Amino acid sequence: MSGTTSDAKPRGLDGVVAAQTRMSHVDGQNGVLIIGGYELKELAGKVTFEEAAHLLWKGRLPSKEEKDELTRAIATQRALPVNTLEVVREAAKKGAPPIDALRMACATLSLDLRNPNDISPGADFDNAKMLVARFPTIIAAHTRLLAGQEPIAPRADLSLAANFLYMIFGKEPDPIAAKALDVYWVTVIDHGMNASTFAARVIASTRSDMVSAITGAIGALKGPLHGGAPGPVLDMLLDIKSADNAEPWVRNELAAGRRIMGFGHRVYKVRDPRAEVLSAVAEEMGGAVLHDKHLFDLAREVERTVLRVLDDVKPGRNLKTNVEFYTALVLQSLGLQPSTFVAMFACGRCAGWAAHVIEQHAEDHLIRPMSEYIGPRGLTVPR
Ligand code: ACO
């Protein structure tokens, strides 16, 4: 439950402004997301992920030369260091889920840095590029190893998204699929003071380094109340099977006290604007690439039913569709397994986390809230 304690102290920092940022703004009442000055609907589909990363890291969209330079710099750093690949192999051998493999592998990415503790703006920018370059390679390698296949070496001549799909499937993807993934990563690149971004900023505020901060952020993203929802969204659609089953299925879940994944948001009280962008991407993938819109059409019907039933069973809570609902469809349409969905989210959000680390390092102020002690006092140790 969100809200306040009995004497009106905010729980979980609800409603507390914990930082000033130039990265993004979430207007939950009007369903508007501003990223570096642009509304999401203005950016999504019009800029590449690398351009959006430049917007966050440098405060403006890049010139043509800057875009080419950044794209090249990221493309040439995609290969994994030996130690990182070893950790990915071990994680796959033990059957660790992709998000855990990513967290473990990310931690190793400081091993080949000349000075891992350097938190100067130059070092932060270099590390941001390196992390964004290698996250997709880690996930692709882990996915193939889990399937008993050898990882495929990255190619520098493909876009970040196209190369990821190439490393997973061993062939160049349909350009519409590569664009869909790129738009997805732009859509989730940053989102105000969400839990994982806050975690990254808390770590950076201690003057700890970029790799440490982003490793911590991955741990925060993993949970189902944050980034871990789209896998269960797909399970739900597959379980519902046909529009007729939607209402009894949803009512049954709610009666059992369970939440409907892909709905509700701490900040948005209207439809999440990212759901708008991603539903269009999912529809295009269904029509133009898969030539099968069955799942998309089912999702639309299920969305309508869930909204109606939530309004009935949980009146006044304003539970609307969030980003994860159509994320599930986009990632599924790319041929990815639900277990990788949250790690795919991390690939996009990594650029936003890095931007916040840069901003927090520049601010150089320790984040250290207070807690209210509610335990006993004056106890004595029995002798
Ligand atoms: N299904 C059913 N009921 C819900 C849902 C849901 N998806 N979300 C909230 N509620 C209900 C709660 O049970 C609660 O009901 P009550 O007043 O009868 O106790 C009420 O709505 C308020 O719930 P809170 O937990 O206080 O709302 P909060 O703002 O903290 O929750 C959250 C936001 C965690 C996202 C929640 O809506 C949820 O669990 N959604 C499902 C998981 C999900 O989709 N997560 C992805 C979020 S998007 C992202 O982080 C990228």
Side-chain angles (χ1 to χ4, degrees):
M1 290 247 305
S2 61
T4 55
T5 53
S6 50
D7 55 352
K9 290 203 175 64
R11 291 177 76 205
L13 300 177
D14 295 5
V16 173
V17 174
Q20 291 190 318
T21 182
R22 294 185 168 277
M23 300 310 146
S24 62
H25 173 63
V26 183
D27 178 347
Q29 298 302 327
N30 296 304
V32 173
L33 168 60
I34 297 170
I35 298 175
Y38 301 84
E39 275 195 34
L40 173 65
K41 62 183 182 206
E42 179 62 27
L43 281 183
K46 295 188 189 153
V47 301
T48 66
F49 179 61
E50 288 89 341
E51 286 176 289
H54 189 284
L55 172 63
L56 294 183
W57 297 342
K58 296 289 180 184
R60 57 178 173 75
L61 286 171
S63 64
K64 165 88 175 72
E65 293 70 35
E66 287 168 331
K67 174 190 170 184
D68 291 347
E69 195 184 318
L70 180 61
T71 305
R72 201 169 31 248
I74 291 175
T76 53
Q77 292 194 72
R78 289 174 185 162
L80 299 182
V82 176
N83 291 311
T84 304
L85 192 53
E86 264 171 30
V87 166
V88 175
R89 279 187 194 283
E90 276 306 305
K93 219 185 276 173
K94 296 230 154 75
I99 190 69
D100 287 346
L102 182 66
R103 190 195 67 242
M104 295 174 216
C106 179
T108 67
L109 290 174
S110 63
L111 282 172
D112 61 344
L113 297 179
R114 219 174 308 124
N115 180 1
N117 296 324
D118 189 348
I119 59 168
S120 64
D124 276 352
F125 184 45
D126 286 347
N127 292 336
K129 289 183 278 190
M130 179 273 287
L131 290 164
V132 159
R134 291 181 182 166
F135 271 30
T137 318
I138 291 169
I139 296 157
H142 180 260
T143 301
R144 287 187 67 87
L145 288 163
L146 267 186
Q149 299 166 317
E150 267 307 292
I152 294 176
R155 276 172 48 181
D157 61 325
L158 299 173
S159 73
L160 195 66
N163 175 62
F164 171 76
L165 294 170
Y166 162 73
M167 290 188 296
I168 293 264
F169 299 113
K171 60 180 174 49
E172 281 187 40
D174 186 312
I176 297 176
K179 176 87 188 280
L181 182 54
D182 190 79
V183 173
Y184 167 66
W185 281 340
V186 170
T187 301
V188 299
I189 197 165
D190 200 52
H191 201 244
M193 200 48 55
N194 59 85
S196 57
T197 297
F198 185 57
R201 286 193 79 125
V202 169
I203 295 169
S205 82
T206 69
R207 295 191 188 162
S208 183
D209 61 286
M210 171 84 72
V211 172
S212 298
I214 290 187
T215 304
I218 297 170
L221 182 72
K222 172 183 165 176
L225 298 190
H226 189 2
V233 166
L234 198 61
D235 295 340
M236 167 175 75
L237 293 175
L238 298 177
D239 214 26
I240 289 177
K241 288 193 188 71
S242 90
D244 299 345
N245 297 332
E247 180 151 357
W249 192 96
V250 174
R251 286 193 184 276
N252 190 47
E253 287 297 291
L254 293 175
R258 288 189 285 270
R259 292 181 176 211
I260 311 300
M261 294 293 128
F263 293 85
H265 197 276
R266 179 60 64 82
V267 185
Y268 291 120
K269 299 305 161 204
V270 295
R271 198 174 194 240
D272 185 331
R274 299 168 299 176
E276 207 65 44
V277 171
L278 296 179
S279 83
V281 173
E283 185 167 21
E284 187 181 15
M285 279 299 294
V289 178
L290 302 179
H291 307 296
D292 176 6
K293 284 181 64 201
H294 167 79
L295 196 63
F296 178 79
D297 292 338
L298 174 65
R300 268 280 156 84
E301 286 295 326
V302 169
E303 181 186 15
R304 271 193 280 271
T305 305
V306 172
L307 291 174
R308 182 167 47 75
V309 174
L310 281 175
D311 213 31
D312 178 28
V313 179
K314 298 268 174 185
R317 271 57 150 224
N318 294 319
L319 301 170
K320 306 295 181 205
T321 319
N322 66 45
V323 64
E324 305 289 35
F325 190 72
Y326 285 102
T327 289
L329 264 83
V330 171
L331 298 181
Q332 191 269 352
S333 73
L334 294 171
L336 301 172
Q337 294 300 317
S339 58
T340 66
F341 288 0
V342 61
M344 298 307 298
F345 190 161
C347 289
R349 186 54 61 81
C350 178
W353 290 332
H356 279 272
V357 170
I358 293 168
E359 196 175 49
Q360 188 65 46
H361 280 159
E363 182 172 334
D364 196 23
H365 183 81
L366 180 68
I367 299 174
R368 205 299 190 188
M370 306 284 284
S371 53
E372 180 190 12
Y373 178 68
I374 55 165
R377 293 170 195 263
L379 300 181
T380 54
V381 178
R383 292 179 195 280

